[in-house]
Amino acid sequence: MSGESSTADDGDPLAAVVARGRAETAADTLREEGVYDDDRSVRPFGEDAVALPVTAPPERTAVREVVRQEAEPRLRNLDDHLRERGWTAEERERAPSSWAVIGTVVLVDIGDAPRPDEVGEALLDLHANADTVLARHGIDGTQREPDVAVIAGAGDTETIHTEHGTRYALDLAEVMFSPGNKAERKRMGDVVAEGDRVFDMFAGVGYFTLPMARAGARVTAAEINPASFRYLLENAKLNDVHQRVDLYRADCRDVADGVEADRIVMGYYDAHEYLDAALSALEPGGIVHMHEATPESLVYDRPVDRLTAAAADRDRAVKILDRRKVKGYSEGVAHVVVDARVE
């Protein structure tokens, strides 16, 4: 960390300068230090950096420098920014209520909000570390391809997103990334033991493969989408786990015959359709993590019944270890996960 620099009075508040791509991670560590100032806004700093508001110079977070900035009250939320732009109360009611910052990209369900370009510009003002806003319209097809459109900013949809120490390089115009699965991605890194043999049947860019491999597991990962597989390869090297992963651009059913797994991850909403392949690869006493989009009225009965029936067809017994909701999938439908040991 370099010393303070300033053209403002010494009484002006402090800000820590970091590279734009590190802003999200640095803000988290500054909060852990107890020096992040939530009452002020993040502001651009030069062409490739941002100034994060702090109450004192950080001692543990690496920053380029600490500067003084003219005091500027924080517009705390999207509603504040849209009000500044002259939006009426009725218009603001139709604005998005949630969005996600993925690296340097803001991903938002725009709904029926008026003037999406103004929403995008307001989100860029709210998140100074971001440079592009994407409106998300859904995921298409078996290869889970995103339907998105640039509504503000530079239009650079490729970024690196950091989560609990795992780095994900991806292009949000080409591959899906679900912000709501953050806790589940962390959890999978926590539940594996070093040396576990894991089969990730729907690996994507490495959502679960990377945290598990970083925890010491040996992971066989299959991904059929060529764009996702390209980033899966890159991310294995980016996280220095390439020696602990075997990666296949293939249908997971074609990979399963050669796999002997202690643990299987089925991170796909229609995972039940692949249970035969999963159980053929799962060693006796192994654990399966089966995802499903389930109507609320059938949570958790349907996924448990499907898993139990598939195991019974192979004369195998199932012990349910855990059941949990990850997030809402659509109105009346939940994204759930069932963890089970299969003898």
Side-chain angles (χ1 to χ4, degrees):
M1 180 181 73
S2 66
E4 298 179 12
S5 62
S6 175
T7 57
D9 294 336
D10 287 344
D12 287 330
L14 300 173
V17 178
V18 301
R20 186 182 296 273
R22 284 194 59 242
E24 188 176 4
T25 301
D28 287 342
T29 58
L30 289 168
R31 285 190 177 95
E32 290 174 4
E33 282 197 53
V35 298
Y36 192 84
D37 187 352
D38 281 302
D39 290 328
R40 293 187 289 126
S41 298
V42 177
R43 294 162 64 178
F45 195 92
E47 294 184 358
D48 66 343
V50 295
L52 303 176
V54 293
T55 57
E59 296 181 359
R60 300 193 303 272
T61 305
V63 302
R64 290 184 180 178
E65 59 180 322
V66 175
V67 300
R68 291 195 178 274
Q69 292 184 323
E70 184 177 351
E72 181 178 283
R74 180 184 181 92
L75 295 176
R76 299 191 63 88
N77 51 43
L78 181 61
D79 191 77
D80 288 346
H81 283 272
L82 294 177
R83 185 185 297 109
E84 288 282 309
R85 284 171 165 77
W87 281 42
T88 66
E90 181 181 0
E91 289 174 329
R92 297 198 306 276
E93 282 290 323
R94 295 165 57 194
S97 59
S98 64
W99 53 89
V101 182
I102 309 298
T104 56
V105 178
V106 180
L107 199 59
V108 60
D109 294 320
I110 202 69
D112 66 347
R115 302 188 294 285
D117 57 330
E118 291 188 19
V119 174
E121 293 297 336
L123 286 170
L124 288 178
D125 287 344
L126 189 61
H127 301 284
N129 56 308
D131 58 22
T132 296
V133 180
L134 286 181
R136 177 174 54 185
H137 303 300
I139 302 294
D140 295 328
T142 59
Q143 296 196 18
R144 299 176 291 173
E145 297 170 335
D147 180 9
V148 298
V150 175
I151 59 172
D156 185 0
T157 56
E158 189 171 37
T159 189
I160 295 179
H161 176 64
T162 302
E163 229 177 57
H164 304 293
T166 301
R167 303 177 72 195
Y168 298 92
L170 70 166
D171 188 330
L172 288 161
E174 293 188 7
V175 303
M176 63 162 282
F177 191 88
S178 177
N181 292 358
K182 181 176 181 178
E184 188 67 16
R185 287 189 285 270
K186 180 181 184 300
R187 185 179 184 278
M188 294 311 301
D190 292 338
V191 298
V192 295
E194 186 167 356
D196 274 3
R197 298 170 300 169
V198 178
F199 182 23
D200 187 353
M201 297 181 71
F202 310 95
V205 301
Y207 315 110
F208 303 120
T209 288
L210 297 172
M212 290 188 296
R214 291 184 65 237
R218 179 79 198 187
V219 184
T220 299
E223 175 53 45
I224 198 169
N225 181 301
S228 295
F229 185 77
R230 185 174 74 250
Y231 284 106
L232 178 61
L233 288 171
E234 180 178 340
N235 287 331
K237 295 180 180 178
L238 184 64
N239 289 275
D240 196 26
V241 297
H242 52 285
Q243 294 182 339
R244 289 198 295 276
V245 296
D246 297 312
L247 309 178
Y248 295 87
R249 186 166 77 84
D251 188 307
C252 58
R253 290 168 292 199
D254 296 331
V255 179
D257 285 344
V259 176
E260 296 178 350
D262 305 308
R263 191 181 298 269
I264 290 183
V265 183
M266 307 181 73
Y268 178 48
Y269 292 134
D270 292 319
H272 66 95
E273 297 177 359
Y274 297 78
L275 278 169
D276 282 347
L279 294 174
S280 72
L282 186 65
E283 292 288 283
I287 296 173
V288 60
H289 306 274
M290 177 182 148
H291 292 236
E292 183 175 295
T294 307
E296 291 282 358
S297 61
L298 299 178
V299 173
Y300 294 93
D301 294 340
R302 190 173 76 175
V304 169
D305 289 346
R306 283 171 164 171
L307 176 56
T308 302
D313 287 343
R314 291 177 168 267
D315 295 321
R316 301 181 70 173
V318 170
K319 179 181 180 182
I320 303 301
L321 303 177
D322 192 16
R323 305 173 301 178
R324 59 194 173 279
K325 291 183 182 180
V326 177
K327 63 180 186 299
Y329 174 71
S330 61
E331 185 174 355
V333 179
H335 173 186
V336 303
V337 183
V338 173
D339 298 343
R341 187 180 304 279
V342 183
E343 303 299 340

